[in-house]
Amino acid sequence: MPNRPPGARPGTRAELLRGPFDPGGQPELHRDKHMHLSLFAWNVSSGLSASKAVLSDPERHQEFWKWPSAAKLLRATEEAGFDSQLQYGMWSGYDGATRWNNSQLDFATAATGSAAITERIGIYTTIHVGYQIPPLLLAKMTASMDHLSGGRLGVNIVAGQNAVDYAQFGLVGPPSQQVRYAIADELVTALKHLWSSEEPVDFEGEYFQFYGAQVDPLPASRPRPLLICAAGSDIGLDFATRQCDALFITADDKDLDGYARRAAKIHAMAAEHGRKVRICAMCYVVMDETDAKAAETTEWMRSQIDRDALEVWLTRSGHIMNSERQEVTEDQFGEGRARSGANQDPYLGIGKEHYESLGMGMGAYQLFGSYETVADQLIDLYESGVEQVALCFFDPHKGVQQIRDHVLPLLRKRGYNL
């Protein structure tokens, strides 16, 4: 290796630099229960709620991420019977009156704190790829998190796409989608080498190089921590089905048939590589004793959508809509919005339905209604092929209690999640 630095200790050369690569095989994806329930986005201000309704009670609806509020929420999540918590990976938020997502606990601190105060639930963290964070640093930190949690870690891989975040790291970005996923592919392969090797590793890739690198202790998980990804484009799905174990999906039309078709496509893509995947969906939940009471809350929230925050989101991150919505044009996201006048439209140029979907759940599948309605919707999602749901609530403390006291008993009564 001509580029080997002076003083590097001997290392075993990594022959594989891209996936599929699963030394020791994949983690076990079998579940004792039907649906894997995860608490999502507890570590960022307002979660998925881009509505000024959060300002009615900031402590409950906006600032639940603060410790010790978050610690209380995580303990309650475990006691309620959830299977995991999943952190939202954020480096910058979207401003507006609500300062949507502007405050956040980072991927390492949040995971480590979560592991220290819980005993059973999965600790799923999120890391961004593309900001030139060295693989050895990420491998060492995640292996330590997994050690501290007793083997409960999962790692959500995000191919960084926010130009503001690239600038925060002193970089110009984002690169093309093809390059972003090539970087993700190489990084994940490097992580797998470092997580699994008991000897120092030499790795000479296109984007990452290291020599004599070693992680000790190795992760407690066997064969390695679970890898998660949210992908919509064919390029993203190709990466995810070759390298990851759990995939978050959406469907263009948000109906159950769309989710079923999407799930079938992804299972087939993974099978081509001799791999299996778990299908997951992000869900936004507003529930109450009756459909009417839940509708009253959702109508109030819709009337309070933080339009300025959504405009910032569309400018900075709106291009990710094109992962599946190929009809979205460039004047609907990025700097082109200002020139096109889309930001002058009452619904920011994306239509009322999509505007409200972003404001109430960032485009997540919406579970709105009575406890019975939400239980039915969860069963329908499961029957369409969704095996894990990441639930985000307008009022997380209340939402977790509602799942525990009302929704889970209904699911069990109907033969699910026994």
Side-chain angles (χ1 to χ4, degrees), residues 117-371:
I117 64 167
T118 58
E119 297 179 355
R120 178 190 55 79
I121 59 172
I123 307 297
Y124 295 170
T125 191
T126 296
I127 62 175
H128 284 80
V129 175
Y131 302 152
Q132 296 186 0
I133 302 174
L136 178 62
L137 177 62
L138 293 173
K140 181 66 174 178
M141 294 174 76
T142 51
S144 295
M145 294 177 213
D146 199 43
H147 172 79
L148 290 169
S149 70
R152 292 184 282 144
L153 185 72
V155 180
N156 180 31
I157 302 294
V158 176
Q161 45 73 35
N162 190 321
V164 169
D165 291 343
Y166 278 89
Q168 288 193 105
F169 284 91
L171 305 170
V172 176
S176 69
Q177 187 181 53
Q178 186 173 1
V179 169
R180 289 191 291 112
Y181 279 109
I183 294 171
D185 197 353
E186 191 170 292
L187 176 70
V188 168
T189 304
L191 289 176
K192 289 178 178 180
H193 278 293
L194 292 167
W195 281 339
S196 61
S197 177
E198 295 184 357
E199 303 295 333
V201 177
D202 289 346
F203 187 98
E204 283 198 320
E206 181 178 357
Y207 303 102
F208 302 103
Q209 301 82 39
F210 49 83
Y211 304 89
Q214 186 175 18
V215 169
D216 189 357
L218 293 173
S221 301
R222 292 293 181 268
R224 57 166 171 77
L226 185 83
L227 284 169
I228 307 161
C229 185
S233 67
D234 286 343
I235 292 174
L237 289 178
D238 175 65
F239 156 74
T241 54
R242 285 187 292 106
Q243 291 278 41
C244 299
D245 311 298
L247 273 68
F248 278 87
I249 67 169
T250 58
D252 286 346
D253 44 15
K254 292 292 192 297
D255 66 17
L256 296 171
D257 287 341
Y259 275 86
R261 290 191 298 271
R262 197 76 169 162
K265 174 181 177 177
I266 291 169
H267 282 304
M269 290 179 70
E272 290 179 1
H273 303 297
R275 308 182 77 256
K276 295 182 179 180
V277 293
R278 178 193 300 166
I279 302 298
C280 317
M282 181 175 76
C283 300
Y284 185 69
V285 191
V286 179
M287 55 186 161
D288 212 317
E289 295 176 355
T290 66
D291 288 336
K293 286 185 177 181
E296 184 178 347
T297 300
T298 56
E299 287 306 311
W300 167 56
M301 292 178 66
R302 286 190 186 99
S303 72
Q304 298 293 310
I305 284 176
D306 191 342
R307 188 177 185 278
D308 291 339
L310 290 193
E311 172 62 23
V312 174
W313 187 91
L314 287 164
T315 300
R316 295 183 184 174
S317 303
H319 57 284
I320 65 175
M321 293 190 299
N322 261 2
S323 290
E324 293 180 71
R325 293 166 54 88
Q326 298 296 332
E327 74 277 11
V328 174
T329 57
E330 291 188 5
D331 62 1
Q332 290 177 290
F333 57 81
E335 300 302 329
R337 293 182 53 76
R339 295 190 297 272
S340 71
N343 55 2
Q344 302 301 314
D345 179 82
Y347 300 111
L348 298 176
I350 60 174
K352 182 174 185 289
E353 182 179 356
H354 198 54
Y355 174 86
E356 293 180 347
S357 176
L358 284 177
M360 298 176 64
M362 203 179 279
Y365 192 86
Q366 294 177 332
L367 303 176
F368 295 168
S370 67
Y371 306 129

